[in-house]
Amino acid sequence: MSDLLLLGGVALCLLSVIAAVVQLLRTQPPRAAAILLVLGIAAIFAGVYLADQPFALDQIPQAWDRLVGASTTP
């Protein structure tokens, strides 16, 4: 569950950057981008809170590997 929250939060934060650029190009206030960013950060914190081990940045690719079932060792 923590892997899903961690990766979902990262995805929401990346989508918020894209939404902010699009909304600013259309001369609209980036409200939806701000909401996506807050939801992404909340999901990342929830994923870190539910994780068994302390958080490090190298856990993001490891979470992806665990989610898709790929093995990093041959």
Side-chain angles (χ1 to χ4, degrees):
M1 181 68 176
S2 64
D3 290 341
L4 288 174
L5 286 171
L6 183 62
L7 293 174
V10 169
L12 283 174
C13 288
L14 290 175
L15 283 174
S16 74
V17 172
I18 295 169
V21 170
V22 168
Q23 288 177 334
L24 288 175
L25 287 175
R26 296 174 70 187
T27 63
Q28 296 176 344
R31 293 183 186 120
I35 292 170
L36 284 174
L37 182 67
V38 169
L39 289 175
I41 291 172
I44 290 172
F45 279 134
V48 169
Y49 179 74
L50 292 175
D52 297 335
Q53 54 190 348
F55 178 71
L57 285 179
D58 63 341
Q59 284 184 339
I60 295 173
Q62 292 172 2
W64 177 258
D65 289 340
R66 285 190 300 268
L67 187 66
V68 297
S71 176
T72 56
T73 59

